[in-house]
Amino acid sequence: MIVRQRSCASLNLVNTQRLSASSNSGKPRSAIFRSLALLLLCAFMILPLSACGEDREDEKLADYGSYGAEIANQIAALGPRPSGSSQEQAAGEMVFNALTALGYHPERQTFTSNGSSVSNIIVKIPGSGFRYRPVNLIDKLYVEPDQGQIYGHIFSRQVILATRLCTEEAQAEPSETPGESEETVPTETDENGEAKPDDFAWARAENRGEVVYEASELEGISDNASGIASLLTLAKLLKNENLGYDVTLAFVAASGNNYEGTRQLLAHFSDEELDNIDCFYELRNIYAGDSLYVHAGWQAIDSDRKYLLRRKIYEMTDVSLETGLLYDNGEDLLLNESIFDVPNPLTQARTLYREFSYNRSDYLVADELGIPCAFVESYDYNGKDFSDQCENRNPSFSSSGGRVSGTSYDNRARLERILDRNQLQRRVNTVAFLCLGALRKGCSDGVAVRIDAE
């Protein structure tokens, strides 16, 4: 064993001597230099990549700063903004001034609602148009000259992004569920032939305005200062964009009066222009709910155009998935994927409660006209049944049954104490980011025309 150790030592000594001798020759020395040069080259290649990785890590998605959150707080400081009130019009003036400061030329669309003169605030942003790209080979080969469906033909499409200026009407959770309505609703029975409880009576009564609410300290920071702020953030982003779509940004008034502002807005479009609208997006109450959701309109529930009417909500969720939004800033955009049957709000026939919402808002006006809709809100649709769903499951909201909008919980100071302090800014920016991503996707049968920078 000792001899073996000496042999190894001797061998190492010989190898060391050989290495020392070879280092004195020219050829091995050049090989060493080449190896060192190669190592240095690799190091120089790796360092920039490492630096880029650090930049990407520091650069968060939807990191647009505090612009939107500051606007939301300023609007909420006006207090409750009932439809047609001076506070609602003051919010409109703030929006008008903010758009002007961004370099736009907003217009006031004035009308009378319940005896009050109110105004929608509107900005129209022309797009570059789309170059016709057929969906499949058959479309490419089959040309309809009278319809302009020629491969490469340039055409226009438009979208509307809207949000309401008013707050949700002041409310508090009712102490008991309202009774049955006068409308005819199919009654389900159990195995004994007895009628099952109607979980939807409260929702129908609320939608008809039969539930009376009252609240103090209501400011409407979530519903709907957050939606206004997000749309203004998007307006700021669009100043640096070249989109194919013609874009209309609409801050609508008098939503509490049967969505009068939205009805006035769409009444100014001709039938041909209405047919040319690819989607009506509505942003509302995006701050205080548990998660962000996007819904299609009610016309998409049972329709032979089901996919066409839902395609835009899929595009928005694709933006979230493709960018890894959840892992980057902690927000995601969800679809209502409930697994229980509910009455179709249009026909009362039973249907699966998926990808639409019972929450009424301005988007339903566009939905009535057959326009595809994408209604973005914050809520929590993860419940064991319809009655178990609510805006926010935080125990702090237990006294209102998990409801925030229209209650005294919709207050800046209260929500800052209960929720993540950065949630308002993150939600406002995230929704603007998702809308921008959806707009960039363009229309399904065309490619946006690129305008070369001068």
Side-chain angles (χ1 to χ4, degrees):
M1 188 66 172
I2 296 176
V3 174
R4 171 182 273 178
Q5 289 177 344
R6 286 179 177 176
S7 298
C8 291
S10 300
L11 182 59
N12 290 336
L13 178 60
V14 172
N15 289 337
T16 303
Q17 291 173 343
R18 286 178 179 174
L19 180 60
S20 176
S22 64
S23 66
N24 294 325
S25 62
K27 186 174 182 180
R29 184 182 292 113
S30 63
I32 292 173
F33 286 155
R34 285 197 299 271
S35 299
L36 289 174
L38 182 61
L39 289 172
L40 288 172
L41 179 62
C42 292
F44 280 116
M45 293 176 65
I46 292 172
L47 283 174
L49 293 175
S50 175
C52 290
E54 291 176 0
D55 290 343
R56 284 195 299 268
E57 185 176 350
D58 295 337
E59 188 177 308
K60 296 293 185 181
L61 295 174
D63 188 7
Y64 305 136
S66 60
Y67 172 80
E70 291 173 2
I71 288 178
N73 279 294
Q74 292 169 13
I75 293 174
L78 296 172
R81 301 171 296 283
S83 292
S85 66
S86 59
Q87 292 90 340
E88 182 190 49
Q89 288 304 291
E93 286 303 306
M94 292 178 66
V95 168
F96 188 94
N97 294 335
L99 291 169
T100 302
L102 290 174
Y104 290 106
H105 300 283
E107 61 182 82
R108 294 182 179 89
Q109 190 178 80
T110 303
F111 58 97
T112 301
S113 177
N114 277 351
S116 300
S117 178
V118 295
S119 299
N120 294 334
I121 308 300
I122 298 170
V123 162
K124 295 182 179 180
I125 307 171
S128 61
F130 295 95
R131 194 176 301 277
Y132 178 61
R133 178 195 63 186
V135 178
N136 54 52
L137 183 60
I138 295 178
D139 288 339
K140 182 176 180 179
L141 296 176
Y142 184 68
V143 176
E144 292 280 1
D146 56 336
Q147 296 180 10
Q149 299 300 315
I150 302 174
Y151 189 72
H153 170 74
I154 296 177
F155 62 96
S156 64
R157 291 278 174 80
Q158 59 183 313
V159 293
I160 299 173
L161 295 103
T163 193
R164 55 169 54 188
L165 292 169
C166 68
T167 54
E168 174 74 4
E169 297 300 325
Q171 56 189 267
E173 189 71 7
S175 59
E176 57 184 59
T177 301
E180 285 286 356
S181 65
E182 296 179 359
E183 58 192 294
T184 302
V185 179
T187 302
E188 284 192 297
T189 57
D190 57 22
E191 60 274 10
N192 298 322
E194 297 181 359
K196 291 182 178 180
D198 182 6
D199 293 330
F200 304 92
W202 186 88
R204 283 193 293 272
E206 180 188 35
N207 288 335
R208 293 193 307 274
E210 295 177 1
V211 181
V212 179
Y213 301 101
E214 61 181 1
S216 59
E217 302 181 31
L218 171 66
E219 292 182 336
I221 180 68
S222 185
D223 191 13
N224 183 43
S226 63
I228 297 171
S230 188
L231 194 54
L232 284 172
T233 301
L234 178 63
K236 185 178 181 182
L237 297 175
L238 290 179
K239 294 297 292 184
N240 301 315
E241 288 290 323
N242 171 34
L243 297 174
Y245 278 124
D246 295 335
V247 177
T248 296
L249 305 180
F251 302 80
V252 295
S255 294
N257 183 24
N258 195 25
Y259 321 119
E260 184 63 29
T262 300
R263 296 187 188 280
Q264 290 288 334
L265 169 70
L266 295 177
H268 283 74
F269 287 80
S270 66
D271 290 342
E272 182 179 354
E273 289 172 331
L274 290 173
D275 290 338
N276 205 34
I277 299 175
D278 263 13
C279 188
F280 182 96
Y281 297 87
E282 184 187 357
L283 316 182
R284 181 182 174 191
N285 190 25
I286 60 173
Y287 171 27
D290 274 329
S291 301
L292 290 172
Y293 285 84
V294 61
H295 312 283
W298 290 357
Q299 298 289 340
I301 298 173
D302 294 313
S303 168
D304 53 1
R305 299 175 59 223
K306 182 179 294 187
Y307 174 73
L308 294 176
L309 292 173
R310 301 187 187 205
R311 180 162 53 196
K312 288 303 180 182
I313 70 171
Y314 300 147
E315 287 182 0
M316 288 197 77
T317 55
D318 283 347
V319 173
S320 179
L321 292 171
E322 291 164 359
T323 59
L325 184 64
L326 175 62
Y327 304 101
D328 190 89
N329 77 347
E331 294 291 347
D332 198 4
L333 184 65
L334 307 177
L335 297 171
N336 174 13
E337 296 182 333
S338 303
I339 57 173
F340 45 88
D341 289 341
V342 298
N344 182 323
L346 295 177
T347 66
Q348 298 303 320
R350 305 300 293 187
T351 190
L352 191 64
Y353 194 32
R354 286 204 165 196
E355 299 178 359
F356 75 95
S357 173
Y358 259 83
N359 292 337
R360 292 173 177 260
S361 201
D362 297 78
Y363 72 97
L364 291 177
V365 178
D367 184 56
E368 291 173 359
L369 299 174
I371 299 172
C373 297
F375 173 45
V376 182
E377 65 165 350
S378 62
Y379 209 76
D380 190 341
Y381 288 88
N382 293 315
K384 63 180 182 295
D385 52 37
F386 181 89
S387 60
D388 190 43
Q389 297 177 343
C390 62
E391 280 185 57
N392 197 307
R393 297 186 185 281
N394 190 308
S396 298
F397 304 119
S398 59
S399 64
S400 65
R403 182 148 197 169
V404 178
S405 60
T407 73
S408 58
Y409 288 119
D410 198 354
N411 172 283
R412 289 169 294 168
R414 283 193 171 191
L415 290 181
E416 282 184 1
R417 287 196 300 267
I418 297 172
L419 304 177
D420 177 356
R421 295 184 65 87
N422 295 321
Q423 184 160 310
L424 174 62
Q425 178 172 315
R426 191 173 63 247
R427 287 277 179 88
V428 165
N429 291 342
T430 295
V431 171
F433 170 82
L434 291 167
C435 290
L436 179 59
L439 295 180
R440 285 173 174 170
K441 286 182 175 292
C443 64
S444 61
D445 56 351
V447 178
V449 176
R450 295 188 178 276
I451 300 177
D452 296 332
E454 297 182 0

